[in-house]
Amino acid sequence: MMEKQIHLWAFLQGIGFFPSGWMHERARPEGVFSMDYYARVAKLAEQGCFDAIVFGDQLQSRGAGGHTPERMAMPTLDPVSLLTAMAAVTDHVGLVATVSTSYNTPEMLAERFGAMERISGGRAGWNIVTTAHPATAPNFGEDDLPPKDERYRRAKEVVAKACELWSAMDREGPMLPQGRPVLVQAGQSPDGRDFAARTAEAIFCPAANIEAGIDFRNDLRSRVADVGRNPDGVRIMPGLSCVLGGSEEEARATHAAILDLADDALAIEYLSESLGCDLTAFDPLGMIPVETILDQTILPRADIARAITPAQEKGTPLGAFAANFMRHPRGHNVFLGTPEQMADMMIEWRDAGACDGFTLQPSYMPGGLEDFVEQVVPILQKRGRLRTEYPGTTLRETLGLSAREAVTA
Ligand SMILES: Cc1cc2nc3c(=O)[nH]c(=O)nc-3n(C[C@H](O)[C@H](O)[C@H](O)COP(=O)(O)O)c2cc1C
């Protein structure tokens, strides 16, 4: 029997996974607005036989207190435009753009993804998000985001209507190569998981460890079965960052050196952005200003309280808490070790049913992606776990998914 293949996506947002990654000597932050840079990383992902490249989208400046953090460059180009440009310099790699259903009409979505789908010859994917950050609302003339259940209700309607429009394009003109883009989802709440179960062909999620991955995948597969879809028709792709070295010790030392590039001020800006409250005026050696955070945060208070309470109880100073917070950004798994060990870990997760593959989030760019493609990809290929060439021309073929199913609205 053929052993389980590992799917690979590359999440190439901005300058890498670690907030201090852009200061690494093999990072090229000056390239993030240049087509040369994007052409190079797109070809690299294709050389590594990745299924797809993914870009997020925030629709706002990621500010701590309503401003863009000065010390935390987070460049974001419109993902549909960027990936359409990357289509021109590649032949096979899939192109997954994040676009919000809360702040777009189905007509606009159908049009933009239709263009990307045609220009790429059937390599488009849509990461459907409902937008979580309240700082987005004022950019669309609103004070606040609509409540989450309302955002997901709208998401269902928007996706169903966009799918209708793509079907109409099929009837009226030359068919879209995949019929419609591959539908991808990234959402964690019960509402988000239900929406994914009805809609998604692939899911991008965090999983901090193998047990969390198994729980998430089992939960999603049973939700997919409950709505009458085939669980094998959905690829679950948790995030995975890494720092590689010739030995485990070397990888740990490199990881520590990357984190050390960040001083207190950068760490606190990153924490501020993550907690939705500006903490830059506070003393790093002082206690975590819990009252201020809970009073001023623009994010859900209960989530924020959960994140800060254990550190408050231990009496951790603000600077130390911020430094530690950077070690585990956004709940994704960070692997430290040799390329062999990384390949072993990926195979173990896949065989244990913790995922169908991984969304690689290089710690700095493009050096981190280069290392993975040069050092880990050949090991996975040699062990027969990663393709050595693409099976066809469309993203759906690359993902091993059959023709589109109807969306269960
Ligand atoms: C791994 C991951 C990546 C995400 N990327 C984005 C993004 O780029 N842009 C965005 O607006 N939301 C993003 N989201 C959030 C989604 O918008 C999601 O709809 C939001 O978190 C609210 O739903 P939830 O509570 O079900 O997660 C992401 C979520 C996850 C889990």
Side-chain angles (χ1 to χ4, degrees), residues 11 13 54-60 62 98-102 127-133 136 148 151-152 185-193 195 203-206 237-239 303 330 332 361:
F11 187 82
Q13 190 82 10
V54 192
F55 283 104
D57 196 25
Q58 300 303 329
L59 301 174
Q60 37 107 353
R62 297 171 64 97
T98 298
V99 179
S100 173
T101 48
S102 300
N127 180 25
I128 306 161
V129 296
T130 58
T131 296
H133 206 292
T136 305
K148 189 180 293 188
R151 277 181 279 148
Y152 275 114
Q185 191 268 1
Q188 288 292 290
S189 61
D191 282 341
R193 292 181 190 207
F195 174 71
I203 296 171
F204 172 34
C205 55
M237 308 289 298
D303 294 350
R330 315 208 186 278
H332 292 286
Q361 298 170 296

Side-chain angles (χ1 to χ4, degrees), residues 252-266:
R252 288 187 188 285
T254 306
H255 178 234
I258 297 172
L259 294 175
D260 274 354
L261 292 170
D263 56 16
D264 278 344
L266 175 59

Side-chain angles (χ1 to χ4, degrees), residues 11 21 25 41 49 111 148 197 207 250 292 312 383 395:
F11 187 82
E25 59 188 9
V41 298
C49 285
E111 179 85 24
K148 189 180 293 188
E250 195 183 303
T292 310
Q312 178 201 18
R383 297 206 198 156
L395 174 56

Side-chain angles (χ1 to χ4, degrees), residues 132-169:
H133 206 292
T136 305
N139 287 344
F140 294 87
E142 290 171 11
D143 292 334
D144 285 311
L145 293 176
K148 189 180 293 188
D149 57 345
E150 210 173 288
R151 277 181 279 148
Y152 275 114
R153 213 166 29 245
R154 179 177 158 91
K156 271 187 213 164
E157 285 170 18
V158 169
V159 173
K161 177 75 187 168
C163 288
E164 251 174 54
L165 292 166
W166 286 317
S167 297
M169 282 183 199

